[in-house]
Amino acid sequence: MHTGPGRALTAVYGVFALSATARAGYQLIREFDVAPIAYSLSAFAAVIYILATVCLVIGNRVSHRIAVAACAIEFLGVIVVGILSHTHPEDFAKPSVWSNFGSGYGYIPLLLPLIGLWWLLRIGRRASRG
């Protein structure tokens, strides 16, 4: 997990963990009453990014499985929140990290879990072979 692409993936997750945590922290402290659903989802996204980052850094068998689950939850979250932000825009008056499929972050939140899952499943197969 700690080779070139794995390091890059870990770095991107680390950046998203920091940015999502900072954004969610500010939103929860200063503006929670404006958009509680969106800001709570931003906090949840931050937790997922932190979890994925830590598991990618650790890189053992257990953390690998947790990282796969975190990426799957992240992708599901981006899809569900992306759909809800279009079908229930009143609940997303202010955007979350995953609103509109992560458009505020250049759609990286939509692509990142797919890349993460691809990498984690690829190295998982490689490790099981030998």
Side-chain angles (χ1 to χ4, degrees), residues 8 22 33 37 41 43-44 46 56 65 68 71 74 77-78 89-90 109 111-112 122 125:
D33 56 328
I37 294 173
L41 289 170
F44 179 71
L56 288 168
R65 289 183 180 147
V68 168
C71 288
E74 176 190 355
V78 172
E90 66 279 2
L111 299 174
L112 188 58
R122 181 173 179 247
R125 284 194 302 270

Side-chain angles (χ1 to χ4, degrees), residues 16-71:
F16 267 78
L18 286 172
S19 65
T21 301
R23 179 180 182 166
Y26 177 82
Q27 290 170 331
L28 291 173
I29 292 168
R30 305 282 292 176
E31 304 175 340
F32 182 74
D33 56 328
V34 175
I37 294 173
Y39 294 161
S40 296
L41 289 170
S42 284
F44 179 71
V47 169
I48 294 297
Y49 289 128
I50 292 168
L51 180 64
T53 302
V54 169
C55 288
L56 288 168
V57 168
I58 294 171
N60 63 27
R61 183 170 289 165
V62 173
S63 69
H64 179 273
R65 289 183 180 147
I66 295 169
V68 168
C71 288

